[in-house]
Amino acid sequence: MKPMRRNVLSSITMSLDRQAKELAASGRDVINLTAGQVDLPVPQTAKDAVLAALEADRTGYVPAAGSADVIRAVRNGMGWTEGSVLISAGAKPLLSAAIACIAGPGDEVLLPTPCYTSYPEMIRLADAVPVFIEGDPENRFAIPREALENAVTVRTKALLFNNPVNPTGTVYRREELREIADFCIKHDLWLIADEVYGTFVYDEPFVSLYELSDVRDRLILVNSASKAFAMAGLRLGYAVVPDAAASAIAGYLSHMLGCPCSLSERAAIAALEGDAGYRSRLRETFRARRDALYPLIAAIPSLKVEESAGAFYLWLDIRGTGADDAAFCRGLLEREGVALTPGSAFLRSGFVRLAYAQPEPVLKAAAERIKRYFAEAAADQTPLSIKCE
Ligand code: PLP
């Protein structure tokens, strides 16, 4: 048997989520704060639209990059006046397709870290090379401009940029986005931007890169209904790309995926057009959760954390404990039944990610258990990493 050419590791966050669910299914009382998934129902209008579409037998193929009425609804809903709008089965295939159309063997893609687990693999699947740029821990893990400049070579094709950031919850400010855009313009790079958490920005209005009109001719801007409308399993994403890039990406998607799901298209139209208040209600729910949880976590000694400005993650700095992040998470799950994700899954060890996509009482109970985990380790004078083995 000839060996497989690729050994693609599956997403660590997904397997941790599965592990926590299995433990819960075996009867353990588990609080699962691993999954980056909204825990609330999709808008009622979207549910109705799926059922009506099914009844009407709308189950055939649709155009590879989306039906005209979905494209129109996305354009209006997102305020994307210029460029081509593409629809696919979530943000992931749009990001992968864009990377594969832009970068090939030996090409380099700049990737700020810590980052979403799938990004390095998406780049490698295109046979391109991720060039990691370490975010500055003293400045919300934002990318230092100097580090970007130092990383550019003749092989650099693109910057893969996420805002708000999974896993840190960082939200980039307008002047920082301006710098990123100027950097890409100066070096003639594509700017592939993932704004799937754009709805979840709590302290200031969200600034999309789309607002910087002079970068639009090199901007591949991806978003999706997964977070904004709690539709993760329905798989419906959208992107706005320069007209010149649209046919390559749409062609790639047509061969790889065929088309988006016909029922999910109906759900997306209903969600985007049907319930104007849904997204702001979602934002307020998550803001309240953050406000309830953050002070409890911040009060735990030997742990450092910043209030997250966006997405729905707290990024816990456990370097002071001397614990290995994976061992820390394993120990916390085994002893206290709380599942968090080790920072190494996002290319930054010494940290862990807590997803606050659960009701407030559950988050409060989780904070209590995490506090106890630390307190017991301190009482035993055992380093958490040893205690967890
Ligand atoms: N981008 C980021 C930063 C994410 O965190 C996620 C999911 O967690 C995705 C993309 C996936 O989005 P979708 O479900 O639309 O493919």
Side-chain angles (χ1 to χ4, degrees):
M1 185 74 77
K2 292 196 172 66
M4 304 271 282
R5 181 167 164 253
R6 291 185 194 280
N7 178 21
V8 185
L9 299 175
S10 72
S11 157
I12 301 182
T13 45
M14 281 181 170
S15 55
L16 276 167
D17 182 44
R18 200 182 47 242
Q19 246 175 36
K21 284 183 179 139
E22 278 168 12
L23 207 57
S26 76
R28 275 290 300 276
D29 169 22
V30 173
I31 301 182
N32 184 356
L33 306 181
T34 60
Q37 152 152 282
V38 176
D39 58 317
L40 301 169
V42 301
Q44 186 58 43
T45 51
K47 288 187 192 173
D48 296 342
V50 169
L51 294 175
L54 196 56
E55 271 309 314
D57 294 318
R58 295 188 75 152
T59 52
Y61 291 124
V62 296
S67 301
D69 53 356
V70 191
I71 290 175
R72 212 175 310 118
V74 168
R75 201 180 271 294
N76 292 337
M78 302 302 293
W80 290 342
T81 48
E82 277 176 32
S84 297
V85 172
L86 307 174
I87 311 293
S88 191
K92 277 185 169 183
L94 288 158
L95 290 164
S96 287
I99 293 167
C101 289
I102 287 171
D107 289 335
E108 294 169 0
V109 177
L110 304 180
L111 180 55
T113 61
C115 67
Y116 177 46
T117 40
S118 290
Y119 292 158
E121 298 314 321
M122 286 175 177
I123 296 168
R124 293 188 183 115
L125 283 169
D127 286 330
V129 180
V131 175
F132 301 116
I133 315 280
E134 287 205 6
D136 178 3
E138 303 306 319
N139 180 28
R140 306 137 49 236
F141 287 94
I143 333 169
R145 173 73 191 257
E146 209 180 274
L148 274 181
E149 290 287 349
N150 292 341
V152 177
T153 73
V154 288
R155 311 227 57 164
T156 313
K157 286 288 167 62
L159 167 65
L160 177 51
F161 180 71
N162 178 213
N163 181 44
V165 183
N166 174 7
T168 56
T170 298
V171 177
Y172 281 83
R173 306 181 179 120
R174 184 180 289 274
E175 60 278 12
E176 293 170 320
L177 295 174
R178 186 62 264 169
E179 279 203 351
I180 303 272
D182 287 343
F183 165 80
C184 291
I185 293 168
K186 175 178 159 197
H187 294 284
D188 189 19
L189 303 179
W190 288 94
L191 177 50
I192 306 172
D194 175 348
E195 295 184 353
V196 298
Y197 294 100
T199 299
F200 301 84
V201 173
Y202 307 114
D203 304 319
E204 284 162 31
F206 175 58
V207 182
S208 167
L209 273 167
Y210 193 78
E211 292 178 33
L212 311 184
S213 55
D214 59 343
V215 82
R216 282 184 200 162
D217 62 351
R218 60 184 64 250
L219 176 66
I220 309 277
L221 181 60
V222 177
N223 211 314
S224 99
S226 291
K227 320 285 174 188
F229 296 109
M231 279 173 41
L234 291 178
R235 311 303 304 136
L236 202 291
Y238 21 89
V240 63
V241 308
D243 292 335
S247 69
I249 300 173
Y252 185 100
L253 290 168
S254 76
H255 295 295
M256 188 183 69
L257 268 180
C259 64
C261 166
S262 60
L263 304 178
S264 303
E265 279 202 331
R266 297 304 108 197
I269 296 182
L272 283 156
E273 293 179 347
D275 184 350
Y278 182 85
R279 273 180 285 183
S280 46
R281 287 199 301 278
L282 210 53
R283 181 182 314 115
E284 290 320 309
T285 302
F286 277 81
R287 186 208 308 279
R289 289 172 173 185
R290 179 199 66 168
D291 292 349
L293 179 67
Y294 168 72
L296 301 178
I297 298 289
I300 298 175
S302 51
L303 170 64
K304 283 206 287 191
V305 62
E306 282 184 43
E307 189 169 39
S308 89
F312 34 77
Y313 305 113
L314 286 181
W315 183 238
L316 279 44
D317 182 347
I318 59 159
R319 287 175 298 179
T321 66
D324 166 80
D325 53 344
F328 174 90
C329 289
R330 215 170 37 245
L332 182 62
L333 183 58
E334 280 165 13
R335 294 175 66 97
E336 293 291 345
V338 176
L340 304 182
T341 312
S344 39
F346 311 100
L347 302 185
R348 186 60 77 102
S349 51
F351 291 79
V352 294
R353 189 191 77 172
L354 182 160
Y356 49 90
Q358 295 270 6
E360 271 177 52
V362 178
L363 295 175
K364 286 182 177 159
E368 205 41 55
R369 293 185 192 190
I370 297 170
K371 190 171 142 193
R372 193 165 56 210
Y373 182 52
F374 274 98
E376 282 176 7
D380 294 358
Q381 297 195 323
T382 346
L384 283 163
S385 54
I386 296 173
K387 197 177 172 76
C388 300
E389 299 304 339

